[in-house]
Amino acid sequence: MNRSTAAMEKYLDTYIGRMRTHYSRFPPGTAHEVASAFLAFKFGLYENAARECTQAISLIPDSTPNAALKKALAIVRANADDRNNAQVTADLSVTFSPDEHTYTAINLPPEKIDDPGTLELDNALILIYVVALITSPDDEDTLDEHHKTIIRLLTDYKKAMGME
């Protein structure tokens, strides 16, 4: 593992630790829906991803941290709907509020954001992945297969985050 990857592994581990305090448990069915939403999107099953996001949102109880998770699912759903309709530009119709950014992995000053839609989607995918990893032990093996994808997403922002 090179130093760049090691730094991003540590960054992800720290983020997971921080999120554990907010997302310790969901009922197994809810946790699986969150994991399924992430996996369907990553496998390009956009119609399924939109459906899984809608289902997960309906199962997640209201709370401040859960509002950020629901927003992440809504962002992924909007992007899944667009991709299902052959629109590949990142969708900005749904975005994280300033308060919800407390729960996102990548927080950049506006002048360092090259593509706001992609950043919102990447933050949404990372948050959903991490919550699924924390709350759905039954999906852990499948989610582990996407660990490198999450590290790559984070690495794309390494310079903008001042980590280079």
Side-chain angles (χ1 to χ4, degrees):
M1 182 181 326
N2 66 38
R3 284 180 31 216
S4 178
T5 303
M8 298 324 291
E9 288 278 356
K10 184 174 189 229
Y11 185 87
L12 179 58
D13 288 346
T14 301
Y15 176 66
I16 291 169
R18 208 173 78 221
M19 291 303 104
R20 274 188 203 285
T21 64
H22 301 290
Y23 304 101
S24 57
R25 65 180 70 186
F26 283 131
T30 303
H32 179 69
E33 286 294 332
V34 172
S36 294
F38 172 83
L39 294 167
F41 189 88
K42 289 313 292 173
F43 285 125
L45 304 170
Y46 301 121
E47 193 171 324
N48 291 359
R51 189 173 46 255
E52 298 287 350
C53 286
T54 299
Q55 181 65 18
I57 290 168
S58 74
L59 295 172
I60 296 168
D62 290 335
S63 73
T64 302
N66 287 352
L69 177 58
K70 288 180 178 188
K71 183 68 66 73
L73 289 158
I75 290 167
V76 169
R77 179 177 58 197
N79 280 276
D81 284 340
D82 285 353
R83 290 178 184 195
N84 196 42
N85 294 312
Q87 185 179 337
V88 293
T89 306
D91 191 316
L92 268 172
S93 64
V94 183
T95 60
F96 289 104
S97 72
D99 289 344
E100 292 163 345
H101 274 286
T102 301
Y103 305 96
T104 59
I106 304 160
N107 293 295
L108 302 173
E111 68 275 5
K112 294 211 174 188
I113 300 172
D114 293 334
D115 182 349
T118 298
L119 175 59
E120 290 292 301
L121 177 59
D122 290 347
N123 264 325
L125 288 168
I126 293 167
L127 178 58
I128 293 167
Y129 170 83
V130 167
V131 171
L133 198 62
I134 292 167
T135 63
S136 187
D138 293 345
D139 293 297
E140 190 173 354
D141 289 342
T142 306
L143 290 165
D144 278 344
E145 294 172 19
H146 296 276
H147 185 81
K148 286 182 182 173
T149 301
I150 299 302
I151 294 298
R152 263 193 311 277
L153 282 177
L154 290 168
T155 301
D156 289 345
Y157 295 95
K158 186 176 180 186
K159 184 175 182 179
M161 290 191 294
M163 296 178 67
E164 271 189 337

